[in-house]
Short mmCIF file of all heavy atoms in Angstrom, two decimals:
data_model
loop_
_atom_site.label_atom_id
_atom_site.label_comp_id
_atom_site.label_asym_id
_atom_site.label_seq_id
_atom_site.Cartn_x
_atom_site.Cartn_y
_atom_site.Cartn_z
N ARG X 54 140.11 112.99 118.86
CA ARG X 54 141.18 113.98 119.00
C ARG X 54 140.75 115.15 119.88
O ARG X 54 141.54 115.69 120.66
CB ARG X 54 141.63 114.47 117.62
CG ARG X 54 140.54 115.17 116.81
CD ARG X 54 141.04 115.54 115.43
NE ARG X 54 139.97 116.19 114.66
CZ ARG X 54 140.12 116.55 113.38
NH1 ARG X 54 141.25 116.31 112.76
NH2 ARG X 54 139.11 117.14 112.75
N ASP X 55 139.46 115.56 119.75
CA ASP X 55 138.94 116.63 120.59
C ASP X 55 138.81 116.18 122.04
O ASP X 55 139.06 116.95 122.97
CB ASP X 55 137.58 117.10 120.08
CG ASP X 55 137.67 117.80 118.73
OD1 ASP X 55 138.73 118.40 118.46
OD2 ASP X 55 136.70 117.72 117.95
N LEU X 56 138.42 114.93 122.22
CA LEU X 56 138.29 114.38 123.56
C LEU X 56 139.64 114.33 124.26
O LEU X 56 139.77 114.69 125.43
CB LEU X 56 137.67 112.98 123.49
CG LEU X 56 137.41 112.28 124.83
CD1 LEU X 56 136.49 113.12 125.70
CD2 LEU X 56 136.80 110.90 124.59
N VAL X 57 140.67 113.90 123.53
CA VAL X 57 142.02 113.83 124.10
C VAL X 57 142.52 115.22 124.48
O VAL X 57 143.09 115.43 125.56
CB VAL X 57 143.00 113.18 123.10
CG1 VAL X 57 144.44 113.32 123.58
CG2 VAL X 57 142.64 111.71 122.90
N LYS X 58 142.25 116.20 123.63
CA LYS X 58 142.69 117.57 123.88
C LYS X 58 142.02 118.15 125.11
O LYS X 58 142.68 118.74 125.98
CB LYS X 58 142.38 118.44 122.65
CG LYS X 58 142.87 119.87 122.76
CD LYS X 58 142.55 120.64 121.48
CE LYS X 58 143.00 122.09 121.57
NZ LYS X 58 142.69 122.85 120.34
N LYS X 59 140.69 117.98 125.21
CA LYS X 59 139.96 118.52 126.35
C LYS X 59 140.27 117.76 127.63
O LYS X 59 140.32 118.35 128.72
CB LYS X 59 138.46 118.51 126.06
CG LYS X 59 138.05 119.50 124.97
CD LYS X 59 136.55 119.57 124.79
CE LYS X 59 136.17 120.60 123.73
NZ LYS X 59 134.73 120.75 123.54
N SER X 60 140.49 116.46 127.51
CA SER X 60 140.84 115.66 128.69
C SER X 60 142.19 116.07 129.24
O SER X 60 142.41 116.09 130.46
CB SER X 60 140.83 114.17 128.34
OG SER X 60 139.54 113.73 128.00
N LYS X 61 143.12 116.41 128.35
CA LYS X 61 144.45 116.85 128.79
C LYS X 61 144.35 118.16 129.55
O LYS X 61 144.98 118.33 130.61
CB LYS X 61 145.36 117.03 127.57
CG LYS X 61 146.78 117.46 127.93
CD LYS X 61 147.63 117.63 126.69
CE LYS X 61 149.04 118.10 127.05
NZ LYS X 61 149.89 118.29 125.85
N LYS X 62 143.54 119.09 129.06
CA LYS X 62 143.35 120.37 129.73
C LYS X 62 142.70 120.17 131.09
O LYS X 62 143.09 120.81 132.08
CB LYS X 62 142.49 121.29 128.86
CG LYS X 62 142.32 122.69 129.44
CD LYS X 62 141.50 123.56 128.49
CE LYS X 62 141.33 124.97 129.08
NZ LYS X 62 140.53 125.84 128.19
N GLU X 63 141.71 119.28 131.15
CA GLU X 63 141.03 119.00 132.41
C GLU X 63 141.99 118.38 133.42
O GLU X 63 141.97 118.72 134.61
CB GLU X 63 139.86 118.05 132.15
CG GLU X 63 138.99 117.78 133.36
CD GLU X 63 138.24 119.02 133.82
OE1 GLU X 63 137.88 119.85 132.98
OE2 GLU X 63 138.02 119.13 135.05
N LYS X 64 142.85 117.49 132.96
CA LYS X 64 143.83 116.85 133.83
C LYS X 64 144.80 117.88 134.40
O LYS X 64 145.19 117.80 135.58
CB LYS X 64 144.60 115.78 133.06
CG LYS X 64 145.52 114.93 133.92
CD LYS X 64 144.72 114.07 134.89
CE LYS X 64 145.63 113.16 135.68
NZ LYS X 64 144.88 112.36 136.68
N GLU X 65 145.19 118.84 133.59
CA GLU X 65 146.09 119.90 134.06
C GLU X 65 145.44 120.72 135.17
O GLU X 65 146.10 121.07 136.16
CB GLU X 65 146.48 120.81 132.88
CG GLU X 65 147.42 120.14 131.88
CD GLU X 65 147.65 121.01 130.65
OE1 GLU X 65 146.97 122.06 130.53
OE2 GLU X 65 148.49 120.64 129.81
N GLN X 66 144.14 121.01 135.03
CA GLN X 66 143.43 121.74 136.07
C GLN X 66 143.35 120.94 137.36
O GLN X 66 143.52 121.47 138.46
CB GLN X 66 142.02 122.10 135.59
CG GLN X 66 141.99 123.14 134.48
CD GLN X 66 140.59 123.42 133.98
OE1 GLN X 66 139.73 122.53 133.99
NE2 GLN X 66 140.34 124.64 133.54
N GLU X 67 143.09 119.64 137.23
CA GLU X 67 143.01 118.78 138.40
C GLU X 67 144.36 118.69 139.11
O GLU X 67 144.43 118.71 140.35
CB GLU X 67 142.53 117.38 137.99
CG GLU X 67 141.08 117.35 137.52
CD GLU X 67 140.66 115.97 137.04
OE1 GLU X 67 141.47 115.02 137.17
OE2 GLU X 67 139.54 115.83 136.51
N GLU X 68 145.43 118.59 138.36
CA GLU X 68 146.76 118.49 138.95
C GLU X 68 147.14 119.80 139.64
O GLU X 68 147.81 119.78 140.68
CB GLU X 68 147.80 118.15 137.88
CG GLU X 68 147.77 116.70 137.45
CD GLU X 68 148.04 115.75 138.61
OE1 GLU X 68 148.99 115.99 139.37
OE2 GLU X 68 147.27 114.76 138.77
N PHE X 69 146.74 120.92 139.07
CA PHE X 69 147.02 122.22 139.70
C PHE X 69 146.32 122.31 141.05
O PHE X 69 146.91 122.74 142.05
CB PHE X 69 146.56 123.35 138.78
CG PHE X 69 146.75 124.72 139.38
CD1 PHE X 69 148.01 125.27 139.49
CD2 PHE X 69 145.65 125.45 139.82
CE1 PHE X 69 148.19 126.53 140.06
CE2 PHE X 69 145.82 126.72 140.38
CZ PHE X 69 147.09 127.26 140.50
N SER X 70 145.06 121.89 141.11
CA SER X 70 144.32 121.91 142.36
C SER X 70 144.95 120.96 143.38
O SER X 70 145.04 121.29 144.57
CB SER X 70 142.85 121.52 142.11
OG SER X 70 142.08 121.72 143.27
N TYR X 71 145.42 119.81 142.91
CA TYR X 71 146.06 118.86 143.82
C TYR X 71 147.36 119.43 144.38
O TYR X 71 147.65 119.28 145.57
CB TYR X 71 146.35 117.55 143.07
CG TYR X 71 147.10 116.54 143.90
CD1 TYR X 71 146.45 115.85 144.94
CD2 TYR X 71 148.45 116.28 143.69
CE1 TYR X 71 147.13 114.92 145.71
CE2 TYR X 71 149.13 115.36 144.46
CZ TYR X 71 148.46 114.68 145.47
OH TYR X 71 149.15 113.77 146.24
N ARG X 72 148.13 120.13 143.55
CA ARG X 72 149.38 120.74 144.03
C ARG X 72 149.10 121.81 145.08
O ARG X 72 149.83 121.94 146.07
CB ARG X 72 150.17 121.33 142.86
CG ARG X 72 150.82 120.29 141.97
CD ARG X 72 151.88 120.91 141.10
NE ARG X 72 151.35 121.95 140.22
CZ ARG X 72 150.86 121.72 139.01
NH1 ARG X 72 150.82 120.47 138.54
NH2 ARG X 72 150.42 122.71 138.28
N LEU X 73 148.03 122.59 144.88
CA LEU X 73 147.66 123.58 145.88
C LEU X 73 147.33 122.92 147.21
O LEU X 73 147.72 123.39 148.28
CB LEU X 73 146.44 124.39 145.40
CG LEU X 73 146.68 125.43 144.31
CD1 LEU X 73 145.36 126.10 143.94
CD2 LEU X 73 147.70 126.47 144.75
N PHE X 74 146.60 121.80 147.14
CA PHE X 74 146.27 121.10 148.37
C PHE X 74 147.52 120.55 149.04
O PHE X 74 147.67 120.64 150.26
CB PHE X 74 145.30 119.95 148.10
CG PHE X 74 145.08 119.09 149.31
CD1 PHE X 74 144.21 119.50 150.31
CD2 PHE X 74 145.77 117.90 149.48
CE1 PHE X 74 144.04 118.74 151.46
CE2 PHE X 74 145.60 117.13 150.62
CZ PHE X 74 144.72 117.55 151.61
N ARG X 75 148.45 120.00 148.27
CA ARG X 75 149.68 119.44 148.84
C ARG X 75 150.49 120.53 149.54
O ARG X 75 151.08 120.30 150.60
CB ARG X 75 150.52 118.78 147.75
CG ARG X 75 149.93 117.50 147.18
CD ARG X 75 149.75 116.42 148.22
NE ARG X 75 150.99 116.08 148.92
CZ ARG X 75 151.07 115.17 149.89
NH1 ARG X 75 149.98 114.53 150.28
NH2 ARG X 75 152.21 114.91 150.47
N GLN X 76 150.53 121.72 148.95
CA GLN X 76 151.23 122.83 149.59
C GLN X 76 150.57 123.19 150.91
O GLN X 76 151.25 123.43 151.92
CB GLN X 76 151.23 124.05 148.66
CG GLN X 76 152.09 123.88 147.42
CD GLN X 76 151.93 125.02 146.43
OE1 GLN X 76 151.25 126.00 146.71
NE2 GLN X 76 152.54 124.89 145.27
N ASP X 77 149.26 123.22 150.91
CA ASP X 77 148.50 123.51 152.12
C ASP X 77 148.74 122.43 153.16
O ASP X 77 148.94 122.72 154.36
CB ASP X 77 147.01 123.61 151.76
CG ASP X 77 146.20 124.31 152.83
OD1 ASP X 77 146.80 125.09 153.61
OD2 ASP X 77 144.98 124.09 152.90
N TYR X 78 148.72 121.17 152.73
CA TYR X 78 148.95 120.05 153.64
C TYR X 78 150.34 120.12 154.25
O TYR X 78 150.52 119.87 155.46
CB TYR X 78 148.79 118.73 152.88
CG TYR X 78 149.19 117.51 153.68
CD1 TYR X 78 148.31 116.95 154.60
CD2 TYR X 78 150.44 116.93 153.51
CE1 TYR X 78 148.67 115.84 155.35
CE2 TYR X 78 150.82 115.82 154.25
CZ TYR X 78 149.93 115.28 155.17
OH TYR X 78 150.30 114.19 155.91
N GLN X 79 151.36 120.45 153.45
CA GLN X 79 152.72 120.54 153.95
C GLN X 79 152.85 121.63 155.01
O GLN X 79 153.53 121.46 156.03
CB GLN X 79 153.69 120.81 152.80
CG GLN X 79 155.16 120.75 153.18
CD GLN X 79 155.57 119.37 153.70
OE1 GLN X 79 155.02 118.35 153.25
NE2 GLN X 79 156.50 119.33 154.64
N PHE X 80 152.18 122.75 154.77
CA PHE X 80 152.19 123.83 155.76
C PHE X 80 151.56 123.37 157.07
O PHE X 80 152.09 123.64 158.16
CB PHE X 80 151.44 125.04 155.21
CG PHE X 80 151.25 126.15 156.22
CD1 PHE X 80 152.29 126.98 156.57
CD2 PHE X 80 150.01 126.32 156.84
CE1 PHE X 80 152.11 127.99 157.51
CE2 PHE X 80 149.82 127.32 157.78
CZ PHE X 80 150.88 128.16 158.11
N MET X 81 150.42 122.68 156.99
CA MET X 81 149.75 122.19 158.20
C MET X 81 150.62 121.17 158.93
O MET X 81 150.67 121.15 160.16
CB MET X 81 148.39 121.60 157.84
CG MET X 81 147.36 122.61 157.40
SD MET X 81 145.69 121.93 157.21
CE MET X 81 145.89 120.91 155.76
N LYS X 82 151.33 120.33 158.18
CA LYS X 82 152.21 119.32 158.78
C LYS X 82 153.36 119.99 159.53
O LYS X 82 153.70 119.59 160.65
CB LYS X 82 152.75 118.38 157.71
CG LYS X 82 153.63 117.26 158.24
CD LYS X 82 154.09 116.35 157.13
CE LYS X 82 154.90 115.17 157.69
NZ LYS X 82 156.09 115.62 158.45
N GLU X 83 153.98 120.99 158.92
CA GLU X 83 155.08 121.69 159.57
C GLU X 83 154.62 122.38 160.85
O GLU X 83 155.33 122.41 161.86
CB GLU X 83 155.70 122.70 158.61
CG GLU X 83 156.45 122.06 157.45
CD GLU X 83 156.89 123.06 156.40
OE1 GLU X 83 156.60 124.27 156.59
OE2 GLU X 83 157.52 122.65 155.41
N LYS X 84 153.42 122.91 160.82
CA LYS X 84 152.85 123.55 162.00
C LYS X 84 152.63 122.53 163.12
O LYS X 84 152.94 122.80 164.29
CB LYS X 84 151.53 124.23 161.63
CG LYS X 84 150.90 125.03 162.77
CD LYS X 84 149.62 125.71 162.29
CE LYS X 84 148.97 126.48 163.43
NZ LYS X 84 147.71 127.16 162.98
N ARG X 85 152.13 121.34 162.76
CA ARG X 85 151.93 120.29 163.76
C ARG X 85 153.26 119.83 164.34
O ARG X 85 153.39 119.60 165.55
CB ARG X 85 151.19 119.10 163.14
CG ARG X 85 149.75 119.38 162.76
CD ARG X 85 148.99 118.09 162.53
NE ARG X 85 149.59 117.26 161.49
CZ ARG X 85 149.28 117.33 160.20
NH1 ARG X 85 148.38 118.21 159.78
NH2 ARG X 85 149.85 116.53 159.33
N ASP X 86 154.28 119.68 163.48
CA ASP X 86 155.61 119.27 163.95
C ASP X 86 156.16 120.29 164.95
O ASP X 86 156.75 119.92 165.98
CB ASP X 86 156.57 119.15 162.77
CG ASP X 86 156.26 117.95 161.88
OD1 ASP X 86 155.49 117.07 162.34
OD2 ASP X 86 156.75 117.91 160.74
N TYR X 87 155.99 121.56 164.65
CA TYR X 87 156.48 122.63 165.53
C TYR X 87 155.80 122.57 166.89
O TYR X 87 156.46 122.69 167.94
CB TYR X 87 156.22 123.97 164.86
CG TYR X 87 156.74 125.16 165.64
CD1 TYR X 87 158.06 125.57 165.52
CD2 TYR X 87 155.89 125.86 166.48
CE1 TYR X 87 158.53 126.66 166.23
CE2 TYR X 87 156.35 126.96 167.20
CZ TYR X 87 157.67 127.36 167.07
OH TYR X 87 158.14 128.44 167.78
N GLN X 88 154.49 122.37 166.88
CA GLN X 88 153.75 122.34 168.14
C GLN X 88 154.07 121.08 168.95
O GLN X 88 154.21 121.14 170.17
CB GLN X 88 152.25 122.43 167.85
CG GLN X 88 151.81 123.76 167.28
CD GLN X 88 150.37 123.76 166.82
OE1 GLN X 88 149.77 122.70 166.58
NE2 GLN X 88 149.77 124.95 166.70
N ALA X 89 154.21 119.94 168.27
CA ALA X 89 154.45 118.67 168.96
C ALA X 89 155.83 118.62 169.59
O ALA X 89 156.05 117.90 170.58
CB ALA X 89 154.27 117.50 168.00
N THR X 90 156.79 119.37 169.05
CA THR X 90 158.17 119.35 169.56
C THR X 90 158.48 120.59 170.40
O THR X 90 159.65 120.86 170.69
CB THR X 90 159.17 119.28 168.39
OG1 THR X 90 158.97 120.40 167.52
CG2 THR X 90 159.00 117.98 167.61
N ASP X 91 157.42 121.34 170.78
CA ASP X 91 157.60 122.56 171.56
C ASP X 91 158.60 123.49 170.88
O ASP X 91 159.59 123.94 171.47
CB ASP X 91 158.09 122.21 172.98
CG ASP X 91 158.05 123.42 173.91
OD1 ASP X 91 157.29 124.37 173.62
OD2 ASP X 91 158.79 123.42 174.92
N GLY X 92 158.29 123.78 169.62
CA GLY X 92 159.14 124.69 168.86
C GLY X 92 160.47 124.06 168.47
O GLY X 92 161.49 124.76 168.41
N TYR X 93 160.45 122.75 168.20
CA TYR X 93 161.64 121.97 167.81
C TYR X 93 162.67 121.86 168.93
O TYR X 93 163.84 121.53 168.68
CB TYR X 93 162.31 122.56 166.55
CG TYR X 93 161.41 122.64 165.35
CD1 TYR X 93 161.13 123.85 164.74
CD2 TYR X 93 160.82 121.49 164.82
CE1 TYR X 93 160.28 123.94 163.63
CE2 TYR X 93 159.97 121.55 163.72
CZ TYR X 93 159.70 122.78 163.13
OH TYR X 93 158.88 122.85 162.04
N HIS X 94 162.27 122.11 170.19
CA HIS X 94 163.19 122.00 171.32
C HIS X 94 163.31 120.56 171.82
O HIS X 94 164.27 120.21 172.52
CB HIS X 94 162.74 122.90 172.48
CG HIS X 94 162.98 124.36 172.22
ND1 HIS X 94 161.98 125.22 171.83
CD2 HIS X 94 164.12 125.10 172.30
CE1 HIS X 94 162.48 126.44 171.68
NE2 HIS X 94 163.77 126.39 171.94
N HIS X 95 162.35 119.74 171.50
CA HIS X 95 162.36 118.36 171.96
C HIS X 95 162.03 117.43 170.80
O HIS X 95 161.25 117.78 169.91
CB HIS X 95 161.32 118.14 173.08
CG HIS X 95 161.47 119.08 174.23
ND1 HIS X 95 162.47 118.97 175.17
CD2 HIS X 95 160.75 120.18 174.58
CE1 HIS X 95 162.36 119.94 176.05
NE2 HIS X 95 161.31 120.70 175.71
N GLU X 96 162.63 116.25 170.85
CA GLU X 96 162.24 115.23 169.87
C GLU X 96 160.93 114.60 170.34
O GLU X 96 160.73 114.39 171.52
CB GLU X 96 163.32 114.16 169.75
CG GLU X 96 164.57 114.65 169.04
CD GLU X 96 165.52 113.50 168.74
OE1 GLU X 96 165.09 112.34 168.87
OE2 GLU X 96 166.67 113.78 168.39
N ALA X 97 160.09 114.32 169.42
CA ALA X 97 158.79 113.73 169.78
C ALA X 97 158.33 112.81 168.66
O ALA X 97 158.47 113.11 167.48
CB ALA X 97 157.76 114.82 170.02
N SER X 98 157.80 111.69 169.05
CA SER X 98 157.18 110.78 168.08
C SER X 98 155.69 110.78 168.39
O SER X 98 155.28 110.51 169.52
CB SER X 98 157.76 109.37 168.21
OG SER X 98 157.60 108.89 169.53
N TYR X 99 154.91 111.12 167.42
CA TYR X 99 153.48 111.25 167.66
C TYR X 99 152.69 110.53 166.57
O TYR X 99 153.23 110.12 165.54
CB TYR X 99 153.07 112.72 167.75
CG TYR X 99 153.44 113.56 166.55
CD1 TYR X 99 152.56 113.68 165.47
CD2 TYR X 99 154.65 114.24 166.49
CE1 TYR X 99 152.89 114.44 164.37
CE2 TYR X 99 154.98 115.02 165.39
CZ TYR X 99 154.10 115.11 164.33
OH TYR X 99 154.42 115.85 163.23
N PHE X 100 151.40 110.38 166.83
CA PHE X 100 150.54 109.69 165.87
C PHE X 100 149.26 110.50 165.70
O PHE X 100 148.96 111.41 166.48
CB PHE X 100 150.22 108.27 166.35
CG PHE X 100 149.52 108.20 167.67
CD1 PHE X 100 148.13 108.20 167.76
CD2 PHE X 100 150.25 108.14 168.86
CE1 PHE X 100 147.48 108.13 168.98
CE2 PHE X 100 149.61 108.08 170.09
CZ PHE X 100 148.23 108.08 170.15
N HIS X 101 148.49 110.15 164.67
CA HIS X 101 147.23 110.84 164.39
C HIS X 101 146.08 109.83 164.36
O HIS X 101 146.26 108.69 163.93
CB HIS X 101 147.27 111.56 163.04
CG HIS X 101 148.35 112.58 162.94
ND1 HIS X 101 148.44 113.64 163.80
CD2 HIS X 101 149.40 112.70 162.08
CE1 HIS X 101 149.48 114.37 163.48
NE2 HIS X 101 150.08 113.83 162.44
N LEU X 102 144.95 110.27 164.84
CA LEU X 102 143.72 109.49 164.68
C LEU X 102 143.03 109.98 163.42
O LEU X 102 142.54 111.12 163.39
CB LEU X 102 142.81 109.66 165.90
CG LEU X 102 143.35 109.12 167.22
CD1 LEU X 102 142.34 109.37 168.33
CD2 LEU X 102 143.68 107.64 167.11
N PRO X 103 143.00 109.19 162.38
CA PRO X 103 142.47 109.67 161.09
C PRO X 103 140.95 109.81 161.09
O PRO X 103 140.24 109.07 161.77
CB PRO X 103 142.91 108.59 160.10
CG PRO X 103 143.01 107.35 160.93
CD PRO X 103 143.47 107.80 162.30
N ALA X 104 140.47 110.77 160.32
CA ALA X 104 139.03 110.94 160.14
C ALA X 104 138.51 109.88 159.17
O ALA X 104 139.22 109.45 158.25
CB ALA X 104 138.72 112.33 159.60
#
Side-chain angles (χ1 to χ4, degrees):
R54 62 184 179 184
D55 292 331
L56 182 58
V57 170
K58 183 179 179 180
K59 292 186 178 182
S60 295
K61 181 180 178 181
K62 184 178 180 180
E63 186 66 32
K64 188 66 176 177
E65 289 173 353
Q66 291 177 329
E67 291 176 6
E68 284 300 313
F69 177 73
S70 188
Y71 176 73
R72 287 196 300 272
L73 286 179
F74 172 80
R75 290 299 303 179
Q76 291 172 6
D77 197 23
Y78 172 81
Q79 188 61 32
F80 172 76
M81 291 188 289
K82 182 178 184 301
E83 290 172 0
K84 184 178 179 180
R85 292 196 302 269
D86 290 345
Y87 182 85
Q88 292 172 340
T90 59
D91 191 22
Y93 302 120
H94 286 101
H95 306 285
E96 288 189 13
S98 57
Y99 56 89
F100 60 91
H101 301 302
L102 295 180

